[in-house]
Amino acid sequence: MKLERSRGTRDFLPEEQIVRDGIVRTLTETFELFGFSPLETPIIERFDILSSKYAGGDEILKETFQFEDQGERELGLRYDLTVPFARVVGMNPQLKMPFKRYQIGPVFRDGPVSLARYRQFTQCDVDIVGAKGMLAEAELIAITSTAFKRMGF
């Protein structure tokens, strides 16, 4: 048997993973400095949830890894962090608004593989839901600027 990774995936050896972990740590510290809370969602979602964001648009759905579980339920791997976030907000009406969250995690796309286009990659989201006016947008710009400065950009 020839040992190979699945096409469109990568391994991160310790030297590179240490750098990646440092970036995540800097982002996490910055987001929490601004009062954002961490959120973790499953990488597996019901396919009807994943497909609801793009009603009428098939492009992203063509790239969604789809499968059935043993109970014959249609599932998929998340292709972004926004759809699971919207599901969490919809399922939890008790959340105090505005709700400020961040999430950093793997997402999956079954699209064409090429240089710098992978099937599994890390996405970072920071969002505010339930806010009125432009203050939330200004805060997101300030977070981005602060994070970049803290990383030396």
Side-chain angles (χ1 to χ4, degrees):
M1 169 176 44
K2 183 178 178 185
L3 296 178
E4 293 182 293
R5 291 183 320 272
S6 179
R7 192 163 190 272
T9 63
R10 300 179 288 175
D11 293 318
F12 297 101
L13 297 178
E15 186 176 284
E16 189 172 6
Q17 189 58 41
I18 289 168
V19 172
R20 291 168 52 88
D21 288 346
I23 292 168
V24 169
R25 205 170 21 259
T26 299
L27 292 171
T28 298
E29 290 168 359
T30 303
F31 299 155
E32 291 177 359
L33 180 69
F34 279 80
F36 284 71
S37 299
L39 179 68
E40 182 70 28
T41 59
I43 63 170
I44 300 170
E45 288 282 345
R46 289 176 26 170
F47 188 74
D48 62 336
I49 299 292
L50 288 173
S51 61
S52 66
K53 179 179 177 187
Y54 292 96
D58 292 325
E59 212 44 48
I60 193 70
L61 297 180
K62 286 184 207 174
E63 295 188 1
T64 302
F65 282 98
Q66 300 177 47
F67 55 94
E68 283 187 358
D69 66 7
Q70 292 181 27
E72 298 183 1
R73 289 171 288 260
E74 292 184 21
L75 304 171
L77 297 181
R78 66 183 181 202
Y79 52 79
D80 72 6
L81 301 175
T82 303
V83 173
F85 175 50
R87 177 190 49 73
V88 166
V89 171
M91 288 178 65
N92 294 281
Q94 79 282 2
L95 289 172
K96 183 178 176 248
M97 296 295 167
F99 180 54
K100 297 164 57 169
R101 79 84 159 125
Y102 70 88
Q103 184 172 356
I104 302 170
V107 296
F108 305 86
R109 298 204 182 152
D110 187 16
V113 175
S114 62
L115 186 63
R117 184 169 166 104
Y118 300 96
R119 289 186 169 162
Q120 177 182 337
F121 54 96
T122 301
Q123 184 171 327
C124 173
D125 280 13
V126 59
D127 291 293
I128 304 171
V129 66
K132 292 184 167 95
M134 297 299 289
L135 191 56
E137 302 299 326
E139 186 172 16
L140 293 171
I141 292 168
I143 288 170
T144 304
S145 175
T146 300
F148 283 163
K149 284 178 187 170
R150 293 178 85 187
M151 287 188 283
F153 294 109

